[in-house]
Amino acid sequence: MEKRVVFDGKLLPYMLLLPQLAVTLVFFYWPAGQAVWQSFLIQDAFGLSTEFVWLENYSDLLSKPEYYKSMVTTAIFSALVACLSLSLSLFLAIQADKQIRGTGAYKAFLMWPYAVAPAIAGVLWLFMFQPSLGLIAQALRSLGFDWNPLLNGNHAMTLVVMAATWKQISYNFLFFLAGLQSIPKSVIEAAAIDGAGPMRRFWTIIFPLLSPTTFFLLVVNIVYVFFDTFGIIDATTSGGPAKATETLVYKVYSDGRLGGDLGGSAAQSVILMIMVIGLTAIQFRYVERKVQY
Amino acid sequence: MVERKRFLDFLPHLVLLVGIMIVAFPVYVAFVASTWDASTISNGQMPLRPGPYFLENYYKTIFVGTASSTREPVGGMMLNSLVMALTIAIGKIMISIVSAFAVVYFRFPFRMTAFWVIFMTLMLPVEVRIYPTYKIVADLGLLDTYAGLTIPLIASATATLLFRQFFMTVPDELVEASKIDGASAMQFFKDTLLPLSITSIAAMFVIQFIYGWNQYLWPLLITTRDDMQTIVIGIKKMIVTQDALTEWQLAMATAILAMLPPVLVVVIMQKLFVKGLVETEK
């Protein structure tokens, strides 16, 4: 779509674009380029000399079992958070979409966790599940369950999954509700007249019509788990115990900051960048054309 | 509801109420913890009703700070967060709205290149270019400054896309009318386009304010001085690995304070927030 009527101006449009482009080039493209360049370099321990090593950082990285472990951790984490938050919020959105009173109020009460910082969400859940004094940790202990996210990797993963899911439900809920409300009621009524029960109506009409929204949310949720959960992980488990909750992004941070391995960290960044580009491309390729609200 | 069964109407309400209670529970627990004293919490006997230390704990949190960690009062951290969130939100809106204006209302060489350069930043989240960006900010001498905290996060593809989308729906007749009236491009922008964009601007403000307030990794790296800390970073330092040293009542008061501004913004401006969210992301 293009405008028919436009203004003349030779210099003005460039002036208008200048601030945005300046920030973008200096703080986005320049560092991204640096990350790519750095990923081909190896720096000695004192930072005195650097050597161009082609793909050695990558082959090093891909030969290390820790990297694959981090990939598996990220995959499990993403799958759990996406499945849990998508199914819970879809269920809630379906309830809110039934023509009942107070949908607006329910919406208001369900959407505010969106505004809570991931790190704060992590701290809230950490407090409830703190082994020695947490409310729920104690309840679990009194039931004879030895809960300890500080020592047990699976417990730590459960904790970050819960916090990440809690934070994401409101976002998914809003989009599912918008998607549901755009489905014409007449279609559903027609199916009901034909004798289709609620479950049948859901699986044959509502779910297929909602699938573009679901797919869009799936991509968004994966990107969210990859990047935005950094705060949750750092505030609750710091990637531990024994790297059980170390996602790919957390590993970039810890290898670069604590390990001082800038080349390896940069190589990881580049791999992540390729993943984001892939995910964004998928999102635009398939979603842009199909989602209708 | 297609079926007409009176009692079935009750079920969705019940489910939603349970959902809201589960969503609100962690925050309720945090609030309750922020109103008790340290010993009640640390012996694990905290009741599920608010205690008598509300004023004392919040006073201590905001003006004094915790003993075990940085001793930095949270009031100052909140101020830093506020400056950061406002600068990012306003800055993003300003540079995005003028760049969208340029892309939509002018024809010039490299117009689409400029648009794609901005658009591609969607794919470069700060987390993946973190160390090189850190280095650039350090080289520019911007560590521990508000400029360093905000400018690198100010470029925004999403805001530019939203404004571009909105400008496309503005009728061409308005441009023609302005031109006939002899208005220049900037006069049209100021007198016609800006007033029409108020809702989009407000919606964008809500989303970007939350984005700025909730930043974690970036301020974690580029602020080293305690007095430059934001509240979202500050809370992490209050939680000490040795359980005994963590002043949970103050940490929880901080958590409540840290979520108050963004949650209020969302609740008060919910219509705009939903509009902005659904429109930018689709």
Side-chain angles (χ1 to χ4, degrees):
Chain A
M1 205 162 73
E2 297 273 309
K3 283 273 172 198
R4 245 180 334 106
V5 194
V6 292
F7 288 100
D8 307 316
K10 291 245 168 342
L11 197 59
L12 185 60
Y14 296 103
M15 298 293 291
L16 292 170
L17 278 165
L18 186 69
Q20 173 95 308
L21 288 179
V23 175
T24 305
L25 293 176
V26 175
F27 296 109
F28 282 74
Y29 286 95
W30 178 240
Q34 287 275 306
V36 175
W37 173 241
Q38 196 128 58
S39 72
F40 297 121
L41 301 177
I42 283 181
Q43 208 166 43
D44 71 47
F46 305 101
L48 297 175
S49 66
T50 47
E51 192 191 343
F52 189 79
V53 292
W54 290 105
L55 294 174
E56 204 179 305
N57 282 319
Y58 291 92
S59 58
D60 246 22
L61 192 67
L62 296 174
S63 67
K64 278 186 194 148
E66 300 102 79
Y67 194 63
Y68 294 101
K69 193 187 170 207
S70 178
M71 273 189 179
V72 172
T73 305
T74 313
I76 294 173
F77 186 34
S78 311
L80 286 174
V81 174
C83 288
L84 269 174
S85 66
L86 283 174
S87 49
L88 284 173
S89 46
L90 177 58
F91 181 63
L92 288 171
I94 288 170
Q95 306 307 316
D97 184 50
K98 289 181 178 160
Q99 285 168 14
I100 53 173
R101 278 163 207 260
T103 300
Y106 288 124
K107 204 159 122 183
F109 278 112
L110 279 170
M111 78 181 167
W112 56 266
Y114 171 86
V116 176
I120 304 294
V123 169
L124 294 179
W125 285 81
L126 180 67
F127 179 62
M128 292 195 296
F129 285 90
Q130 227 292 332
S132 61
L133 48 84
L135 212 64
I136 296 182
Q138 286 193 328
L140 287 172
R141 187 154 303 169
S142 67
L143 292 171
F145 186 79
D146 187 25
W147 167 267
N148 196 340
L150 300 177
L151 296 174
N152 185 316
N154 291 334
H155 294 179
M157 180 57 98
T158 311
L159 182 64
V160 287
V161 166
M162 285 190 295
T165 305
W166 178 81
K167 165 101 185 77
Q168 193 62 6
I169 283 180
S170 50
Y171 184 92
N172 295 344
F173 172 80
L174 287 175
F175 277 84
F176 273 135
L177 191 59
L180 283 168
Q181 289 180 338
S182 73
I183 297 175
K185 290 284 172 284
S186 55
V187 178
I188 297 165
E189 275 159 18
I193 292 167
D194 288 349
M199 284 312 276
R200 178 102 193 263
R201 288 201 299 271
F202 177 76
W203 288 113
T204 57
I205 301 171
I206 299 174
F207 193 73
L209 283 174
L210 216 52
S211 63
T213 311
T214 313
F215 186 74
F216 161 78
L217 285 176
L218 188 66
V219 175
V220 170
N221 278 272
I222 291 173
V223 174
Y224 159 77
V225 178
F226 266 55
F227 301 104
D228 294 345
T229 54
F230 179 89
I232 296 180
I233 292 170
D234 193 48
T236 53
T237 64
S238 300
K243 299 188 186 272
T245 52
E246 189 176 71
T247 57
L248 291 168
V249 169
Y250 202 84
K251 197 169 161 56
V252 172
Y253 168 76
S254 63
D255 284 6
R257 172 138 172 154
L258 312 169
D261 174 14
L262 285 179
S265 177
Q268 293 180 36
S269 295
V270 172
I271 294 176
L272 273 174
M273 244 185 270
I274 294 168
M275 288 182 186
V276 193
I277 290 172
L279 280 170
T280 318
I282 293 173
Q283 182 180 328
F284 276 91
R285 181 90 204 272
Y286 292 99
V287 179
E288 194 71 333
R289 277 178 294 144
K290 290 179 188 159
V291 181
Q292 304 123 358
Y293 292 99
Chain B
M1 243 350 225
V2 181
E3 275 91 2
R4 290 252 154 258
K5 289 176 200 150
R6 267 268 160 249
F7 108 102
L8 270 182
D9 275 6
F10 172 71
L11 268 177
H13 286 291
L14 190 71
V15 172
L16 287 165
L17 282 173
V18 171
I20 288 169
M21 269 154 65
I22 294 171
V23 167
F25 187 68
V27 178
Y28 181 73
V29 172
F31 174 73
V32 169
S34 72
T35 61
W36 287 98
D37 56 329
S39 61
T40 313
I41 295 172
S42 61
N43 68 18
Q45 300 299 317
M46 189 184 84
L48 264 181
R49 58 184 161 75
Y53 294 90
F54 176 82
L55 286 179
E56 190 186 322
N57 286 344
Y58 280 84
Y59 176 81
K60 210 172 157 195
T61 308
I62 296 172
F63 298 106
V64 185
T66 53
S68 58
S69 59
T70 56
R71 286 185 179 279
E72 200 62 34
V74 171
M77 295 182 198
M78 284 189 90
L79 206 64
N80 289 338
S81 289
L82 191 69
V83 171
M84 180 178 181
L86 286 176
T87 315
I88 289 179
I90 295 169
K92 266 184 194 252
I93 289 170
M94 281 186 352
I95 69 171
S96 299
I97 201 163
V98 290
S99 46
F101 177 61
V103 171
V104 173
Y105 283 100
F106 291 89
R107 293 287 166 274
F108 54 92
F110 303 112
R111 186 174 69 99
M112 285 324 278
T113 316
F115 178 73
W116 281 104
V117 165
I118 297 167
F119 182 80
M120 290 287 284
T121 56
L122 270 185
M123 305 179 192
L124 300 170
V126 69
E127 285 82 0
V128 303
R129 54 188 164 84
I130 193 78
Y131 291 110
T133 317
Y134 171 82
K135 193 172 176 299
I136 288 167
V137 171
D139 289 346
L140 292 171
L142 294 176
L143 295 182
D144 282 318
T145 64
Y146 285 124
L149 207 50
T150 53
I151 295 173
L153 300 175
I154 263 178
S156 177
T158 47
T160 315
L161 287 176
L162 173 91
F163 289 126
R164 180 178 171 270
Q165 236 169 18
F166 173 73
F167 291 165
M168 289 301 199
T169 67
V170 173
D172 284 345
E173 285 73 18
L174 286 175
V175 189
E176 277 166 353
S178 294
K179 282 182 135 180
I180 291 166
D181 287 348
S184 70
M186 288 322 285
Q187 276 166 339
F188 168 74
F189 177 72
K190 188 166 75 63
D191 298 333
T192 313
L193 210 51
L194 266 189
L196 286 173
S197 318
I198 286 296
T199 356
S200 301
I201 292 174
M204 213 61 242
F205 178 82
V206 178
I207 292 169
Q208 301 301 351
F209 180 86
I210 294 163
Y211 166 85
W213 183 278
N214 289 351
Q215 281 301 314
Y216 186 85
L217 181 55
W218 185 244
L220 182 69
L221 280 180
I222 82 134
T223 58
T224 50
R225 284 203 338 251
D226 285 342
D227 64 314
M228 279 302 291
Q229 238 162 51
T230 63
I231 187 165
V232 178
I233 302 297
I235 193 169
K236 204 230 156 167
K237 297 199 179 158
M238 293 179 192
I239 296 162
V240 193
T241 6
Q242 291 86 19
D243 300 340
L245 296 174
T246 304
E247 292 172 277
W248 282 102
Q249 78 285 13
L250 302 187
M252 288 301 115
T254 310
I256 297 288
L257 290 171
M259 59 183 125
L260 217 50
V263 167
L264 275 181
V265 167
V266 160
V267 170
I268 293 170
M269 303 180 69
Q270 58 161 301
K271 283 221 170 65
L272 291 169
F273 159 68
V274 176
K275 175 182 181 287
L277 197 67
V278 175
E279 271 179 12
T280 35
E281 305 250 354
K282 78 179 174 189

